Amino acid sequence: MKLNDNQLKLLKESMKTAKNFSGSLYASKFKDIDIDSINTQEDFESLPFTEKGELREGYPLGIQAVPDEQIVRIHSSSGTTGTPIIIPYTKKDVDDWAFMFARCYETAGITKKDRIQITPGYGLWTAGIGFQLGCEKLGAMAIPMGPGNTDKQLKMMMDLGSTVLCATSSYALLLAEEIAKRGIGDKIKLKKGVIGSERWGDKMRQRISDELGVELYDIYGLTEIYGPGIGVSCAREAPMHYWDDFIYLEIIDPKTGKVLPDGEIGEIVISTFRKEGAPLFRYRTHDLSRIVPGKCACGSPFPRIDRIIGRSDDMIKVKGVNIYPGQVEDVLKNIDGVSSEYQVMIDHLNGKDIMTLFFEMNNGADKEAVENAVGTAFKTKIGLTIVPKGVEIGDLPRSEKKSTRIFDNRY
Ligand code: ZN
């Protein structure tokens, strides 16, 4: 993605401000960097990345880049390792976030006539409040439920005639199943679902969409960069538009750190143009996606990224080709006779990497034909020759975590 002159100007101004705020992360990180000498995209791409660990080390407010009196709020990411990351916001940051979020709703075709039931959590987490801010900015009616209490959720959904459901994919599915179980589908007025962008399977998507009778939109974001609302899909099955007037997005090879050409899958790296409280430059999100080249049929001028296909920590390299669990699933799901369970084994034999893909086959499938189809699909779609091995349903271990389906025995 090309970095234009105006974007570079905004980045430089923001980097200078951050560097000049004594005691902040970037005061030390950019200490030896002359920001005035950054004049091209190449110069910018030579800057160091910012890692999540650096934000954690700065706990609680090491990332803050403006005086205390300008901070109006903080949010925090849940720390899987114990120490959370705290992100301070100025009034302008909160306004900008609301503006971007309202744009997400608009892109999904939601208007001020809609009634938006918000089920993600409120509080330190950015989710509930983000959905709420955007809704109020748009001028729609917010129904701020927060998570849980399914009885009450469904009662409000019916009594108020909610037209939009904001939820995680798992909670949307739970509500959908509950509605089906209770046989109250005809009392539900939902038209659209806006779903947080953790990676979720097509089968789940289809079930939620069918059972609720809604169109689903993916929304993208992370606490470190405002929160949800920095991008959204514009139609069913579509990639997500992201707001390149607020963020600069790069896709890098997670192993080498090199910026990849548009269209190639890699890790999303984000820089902020206008963020005041906690600006970030070249922040590694560890989310995997790709820039979708070309203009969208919807007419939006904003660039696009694909749905998130996984985490860069799950990436493996075989014979020089990067592979992610999400890609394996994508290949398998389109082949007749293949069930959803699989396991990947990577070995190094006689100087060569060998990838064996075990997958369960539906009862009655023709083993040889299915194996050939899997091998060919892998070669065409991913560019890798593998050893496909069909096994019977129930032969492979069940696991919740995608990463435990890949076993790298090379080292
Ligand atoms: Zn579009």
Side-chain angles (χ1 to χ4, degrees):
M1 187 58 55
K2 200 179 161 341
L3 177 64
N4 69 39
D5 290 347
N6 184 46
Q7 289 173 323
L8 183 61
K9 189 170 143 262
L10 287 170
L11 283 172
K12 285 173 74 170
E13 282 167 10
S14 184
M15 284 191 286
K16 273 188 198 167
T17 313
K19 181 183 172 177
N20 291 337
F21 190 74
S22 124
S24 78
L25 168 68
Y26 288 105
S28 51
K29 201 170 169 70
F30 287 164
K31 186 165 46 92
D32 300 320
I33 293 171
D34 174 17
I35 291 167
D36 280 324
S37 72
I38 300 167
N39 291 314
T40 63
Q41 179 161 2
E42 213 180 3
D43 294 341
F44 181 74
E45 288 172 3
S46 71
L47 288 172
F49 295 114
T50 302
E51 304 278 352
K52 186 172 266 194
E54 293 175 82
L55 306 193
R56 201 166 274 134
E57 280 163 27
Y59 181 86
L61 287 167
I63 179 68
Q64 187 175 317
V66 294
D68 283 352
E69 56 269 32
Q70 290 182 39
I71 300 298
V72 299
R73 182 200 287 183
I74 60 110
H75 281 290
S76 161
S77 70
S78 54
T80 40
T81 57
T83 308
I85 289 168
I86 292 185
I87 303 290
Y89 294 65
T90 65
K91 175 80 170 64
K92 182 176 183 301
D93 293 336
V94 172
D95 289 346
D96 285 350
W97 183 21
F99 177 84
M100 281 188 277
F101 212 125
R103 192 193 270 165
C104 287
Y105 283 133
E106 282 167 346
T107 304
I110 294 163
T111 72
K112 48 172 74 170
K113 288 186 181 156
D114 279 298
R115 297 181 170 188
I116 304 181
Q117 185 155 341
I118 300 165
T119 70
Y122 285 73
L124 280 174
W125 201 29
T126 44
I129 287 180
F131 281 101
Q132 174 91 21
L133 273 176
C135 176
E136 289 174 0
K137 184 84 180 171
L138 177 72
M141 183 205 284
I143 306 171
M145 300 297 296
N149 201 342
T150 303
D151 284 338
K152 198 168 182 184
Q153 296 277 3
L154 295 177
K155 181 171 163 48
M156 294 297 252
M157 199 180 277
M158 289 187 288
D159 293 352
L160 284 166
S162 309
T163 56
V164 177
L165 174 68
C166 300
T168 60
S169 54
S170 47
Y171 197 58
L173 183 62
L174 185 144
L175 288 174
E177 286 173 342
E178 211 48 47
I179 289 166
K181 205 157 77 189
R182 299 180 189 199
I184 51 173
D186 59 337
K187 297 199 181 79
I188 302 294
K189 303 272 192 308
L190 290 178
K191 290 184 297 192
K192 291 170 195 279
V194 181
I195 308 293
S197 70
E198 80 258 46
R199 178 175 156 72
W200 47 308
D202 284 306
K203 280 184 182 151
M204 189 168 188
R205 182 181 298 270
Q206 198 60 47
R207 275 177 67 199
I208 298 171
S209 167
D210 289 350
E211 304 228 2
L212 290 177
V214 296
E215 284 169 37
L216 296 175
Y217 297 85
D218 290 78
I219 196 154
Y220 182 59
L222 54 163
T223 304
E224 299 92 309
I225 314 280
Y226 298 98
I230 58 174
V232 73
S233 54
C234 60
R236 190 182 172 134
E237 303 285 303
M240 298 182 285
H241 288 281
Y242 68 87
W243 314 135
D244 69 346
D245 44 354
F246 287 89
I247 57 166
Y248 180 63
L249 192 147
E250 301 168 90
I251 301 286
I252 62 157
D253 181 319
K255 291 265 156 85
T256 65
K258 281 232 168 61
V259 178
L260 295 170
D262 291 357
E264 284 189 27
I265 292 171
E267 178 179 334
I268 300 175
V269 168
I270 298 178
S271 302
T272 57
F273 293 131
R274 305 168 192 278
K275 213 156 176 277
E276 296 176 335
L280 283 170
F281 308 102
R282 306 203 83 207
Y283 182 67
R284 292 189 64 159
T285 65
H286 293 272
D287 287 330
L288 292 173
S289 183
R290 65 183 190 108
I291 286 174
V292 178
K295 285 262 177 285
C296 182
C298 79
S300 164
F302 293 102
R304 294 172 297 163
I305 49 168
D306 239 332
R307 268 150 46 185
I308 306 303
I309 65 160
R311 302 278 300 161
S312 59
D313 318 83
D314 299 338
M315 187 192 88
I316 38 160
K317 202 163 196 160
V318 184
K319 295 188 220 174
V321 180
N322 287 332
I323 310 201
Y324 319 100
Q327 281 178 302
V328 178
E329 282 162 42
D330 283 345
V331 169
L332 289 179
K333 76 165 196 274
N334 289 316
I335 298 171
D336 280 344
V338 177
S339 181
S340 58
E341 292 298 321
Y342 68 91
Q343 201 174 69
V344 174
M345 291 284 171
I346 301 149
D347 298 284
H348 194 75
L349 289 172
N350 305 322
K352 275 197 302 190
D353 286 343
I354 295 175
M355 173 171 154
T356 312
L357 172 60
F358 294 92
F359 53 90
E360 292 186 357
M361 295 180 304
N362 296 330
N363 293 327
D366 177 345
K367 185 169 186 303
E368 203 183 320
V370 176
E371 285 178 347
N372 283 338
V374 169
T376 309
F378 239 82
K379 181 79 196 153
T380 339
K381 290 194 179 147
I382 301 183
L384 192 66
T385 304
I386 60 155
V387 182
K389 291 258 191 229
V391 298
E392 286 183 21
I393 295 267
D395 277 1
L396 296 175
R398 265 49 183 162
S399 168
E400 291 281 301
K401 270 184 76 191
K402 291 177 197 310
S403 50
T404 56
R405 295 174 188 216
I406 298 193
F407 296 87
D408 195 343
N409 309 317
R410 288 174 295 184
Y411 312 107

